[in-house]
Coordinates of all heavy atoms in Angstrom, one line a residue:
M974 N 52.1 -37.0 -15.6 CA 51.3 -37.4 -16.8 C 51.8 -36.5 -18.0 O 51.9 -37.0 -19.1 CB 49.9 -37.2 -16.6 CG 49.3 -38.2 -15.6 SD 47.5 -38.3 -15.5 CE 47.1 -36.7 -14.8
S975 N 52.1 -35.3 -17.8 CA 52.6 -34.4 -18.8 C 53.9 -34.9 -19.4 O 54.2 -34.9 -20.6 CB 52.7 -33.0 -18.3 OG 53.3 -32.1 -19.3
S976 N 54.8 -35.3 -18.5 CA 56.1 -35.7 -18.9 C 56.1 -37.0 -19.7 O 56.9 -37.2 -20.6 CB 57.0 -36.0 -17.7 OG 56.6 -37.1 -17.0
H977 N 55.1 -37.9 -19.5 CA 54.9 -39.1 -20.3 C 54.1 -38.8 -21.6 O 54.1 -39.7 -22.4 CB 54.1 -40.1 -19.5 CG 55.0 -40.9 -18.5 ND1 55.4 -40.3 -17.3 CD2 55.6 -42.1 -18.6 CE1 56.2 -41.2 -16.7 NE2 56.3 -42.3 -17.4
L978 N 53.5 -37.7 -21.7 CA 52.8 -37.3 -23.0 C 53.5 -36.2 -23.6 O 53.0 -35.1 -23.9 CB 51.4 -37.0 -22.6 CG 50.5 -38.2 -22.2 CD1 49.1 -37.8 -21.7 CD2 50.4 -39.3 -23.3
Y979 N 54.8 -36.4 -23.9 CA 55.6 -35.4 -24.7 C 55.8 -34.1 -24.1 O 56.0 -33.1 -24.8 CB 55.0 -35.3 -26.1 CG 54.7 -36.7 -26.8 CD1 53.4 -37.2 -26.8 CD2 55.7 -37.5 -27.2 CE1 53.1 -38.4 -27.4 CE2 55.5 -38.7 -27.8 CZ 54.2 -39.2 -27.8 OH 53.9 -40.4 -28.4
D980 N 55.6 -34.0 -22.8 CA 55.8 -32.7 -22.1 C 54.8 -31.6 -22.5 O 55.1 -30.4 -22.5 CB 57.2 -32.1 -22.2 CG 58.2 -33.0 -21.4 OD1 57.9 -33.3 -20.3 OD2 59.3 -33.2 -22.0
I981 N 53.6 -32.1 -23.0 CA 52.6 -31.1 -23.4 C 51.9 -30.7 -22.1 O 51.5 -31.5 -21.2 CB 51.6 -31.8 -24.3 CG1 52.3 -32.1 -25.6 CG2 50.4 -30.9 -24.6 CD1 51.4 -32.9 -26.6
K982 N 51.7 -29.4 -21.9 CA 51.0 -28.8 -20.7 C 49.5 -29.1 -20.8 O 48.9 -28.9 -21.8 CB 51.3 -27.3 -20.6 CG 52.8 -27.0 -20.4 CD 53.5 -27.9 -19.3 CE 55.0 -27.6 -19.2 NZ 55.6 -28.5 -18.2
P983 N 48.9 -29.5 -19.7 CA 47.5 -29.8 -19.7 C 46.6 -28.5 -19.9 O 47.0 -27.4 -19.6 CB 47.2 -30.3 -18.3 CG 48.6 -30.7 -17.8 CD 49.5 -29.7 -18.4
E984 N 45.5 -28.7 -20.5 CA 44.4 -27.7 -20.6 C 43.4 -28.0 -19.5 O 42.7 -29.0 -19.6 CB 43.8 -27.7 -22.0 CG 42.7 -26.6 -22.1 CD 42.2 -26.5 -23.5 OE1 42.5 -27.4 -24.4 OE2 41.5 -25.6 -23.8
F985 N 43.3 -27.2 -18.5 CA 42.4 -27.4 -17.4 C 41.1 -26.6 -17.7 O 41.1 -25.4 -17.8 CB 43.0 -27.0 -16.0 CG 44.1 -27.8 -15.6 CD1 45.4 -27.4 -15.7 CD2 43.9 -29.1 -15.1 CE1 46.5 -28.2 -15.3 CE2 44.9 -29.9 -14.7 CZ 46.2 -29.5 -14.8
V986 N 39.9 -27.3 -17.6 CA 38.7 -26.7 -18.0 C 37.6 -27.1 -17.0 O 37.5 -28.3 -16.6 CB 38.2 -27.0 -19.4 CG1 36.9 -26.3 -19.7 CG2 39.3 -26.7 -20.4
D987 N 36.8 -26.2 -16.5 CA 35.6 -26.5 -15.7 C 34.4 -26.4 -16.6 O 34.2 -25.4 -17.2 CB 35.5 -25.5 -14.5 CG 34.5 -25.9 -13.5 OD1 33.6 -26.7 -13.9 OD2 34.6 -25.4 -12.4
S988 N 33.7 -27.5 -16.6 CA 32.5 -27.6 -17.6 C 31.4 -26.7 -17.2 O 30.4 -26.6 -18.0 CB 32.0 -29.0 -17.6 OG 33.0 -29.9 -18.3
L989 N 31.5 -25.9 -16.1 CA 30.4 -25.0 -15.8 C 30.3 -23.9 -16.9 O 29.4 -23.1 -16.9 CB 30.5 -24.4 -14.4 CG 31.8 -23.6 -14.0 CD1 31.7 -22.2 -14.5 CD2 32.0 -23.6 -12.5
Y990 N 31.4 -23.7 -17.7 CA 31.4 -22.8 -18.8 C 30.7 -23.4 -20.0 O 30.6 -22.7 -21.0 CB 32.8 -22.4 -19.1 CG 33.5 -21.6 -18.0 CD1 34.5 -22.2 -17.2 CD2 33.3 -20.3 -17.8 CE1 35.1 -21.5 -16.2 CE2 33.9 -19.5 -16.8 CZ 34.8 -20.2 -16.0 OH 35.4 -19.5 -15.0
F991 N 30.3 -24.6 -19.9 CA 29.7 -25.3 -21.1 C 28.3 -25.8 -20.7 O 27.5 -26.2 -21.6 CB 30.5 -26.4 -21.6 CG 31.8 -26.0 -22.2 CD1 32.9 -25.8 -21.5 CD2 31.9 -25.8 -23.6 CE1 34.1 -25.4 -22.0 CE2 33.0 -25.4 -24.2 CZ 34.2 -25.2 -23.4
C992 N 27.9 -25.9 -19.4 CA 26.6 -26.5 -19.1 C 26.3 -25.9 -17.7 O 27.0 -25.1 -17.1 CB 26.7 -28.0 -19.1 SG 27.7 -28.7 -17.9
A993 N 25.2 -26.5 -17.1 CA 24.8 -26.0 -15.8 C 25.4 -26.8 -14.6 O 25.0 -26.6 -13.5 CB 23.2 -26.2 -15.7
A994 N 26.5 -27.6 -14.8 CA 27.1 -28.3 -13.8 C 28.6 -28.2 -13.9 O 29.2 -28.1 -15.0 CB 26.7 -29.8 -13.8
A995 N 29.3 -28.1 -12.7 CA 30.8 -28.0 -12.7 C 31.3 -29.4 -13.0 O 30.7 -30.4 -12.7 CB 31.3 -27.5 -11.4
R996 N 32.5 -29.4 -13.6 CA 33.2 -30.7 -13.8 C 34.7 -30.3 -14.1 O 35.0 -30.0 -15.3 CB 32.6 -31.5 -14.9 CG 33.0 -33.0 -14.9 CD 32.2 -33.8 -15.9 NE 32.3 -35.2 -15.8 CZ 31.7 -35.9 -14.8 NH1 31.0 -35.4 -13.9 NH2 31.9 -37.2 -14.8
K997 N 35.5 -30.3 -13.1 CA 36.9 -29.8 -13.3 C 37.8 -30.9 -13.8 O 38.0 -31.9 -13.1 CB 37.4 -29.3 -12.0 CG 36.6 -28.1 -11.5 CD 37.1 -27.6 -10.1 CE 36.3 -26.4 -9.6 NZ 36.7 -25.9 -8.3
R998 N 38.3 -30.7 -15.0 CA 39.0 -31.8 -15.7 C 40.3 -31.2 -16.3 O 40.3 -30.0 -16.7 CB 38.2 -32.5 -16.7 CG 37.0 -33.3 -16.2 CD 37.5 -34.5 -15.3 NE 36.4 -35.3 -14.9 CZ 35.8 -35.2 -13.7 NH1 36.2 -34.2 -12.9 NH2 34.8 -36.0 -13.4
G999 N 41.3 -32.0 -16.5 CA 42.5 -31.7 -17.2 C 42.6 -32.5 -18.5 O 42.2 -33.6 -18.5

Side-chain angles (χ1 to χ4, degrees):
M974 292 192 292
S975 175
S976 70
H977 279 79
L978 291 173
Y979 312 103
D980 288 319
I981 296 175
K982 300 306 178 186
E984 178 175 13
F985 293 105
V986 183
D987 191 336
S988 290
L989 62 80
Y990 294 101
F991 292 88
C992 67
R996 199 171 190 78
K997 297 177 180 178
R998 296 292 185 265

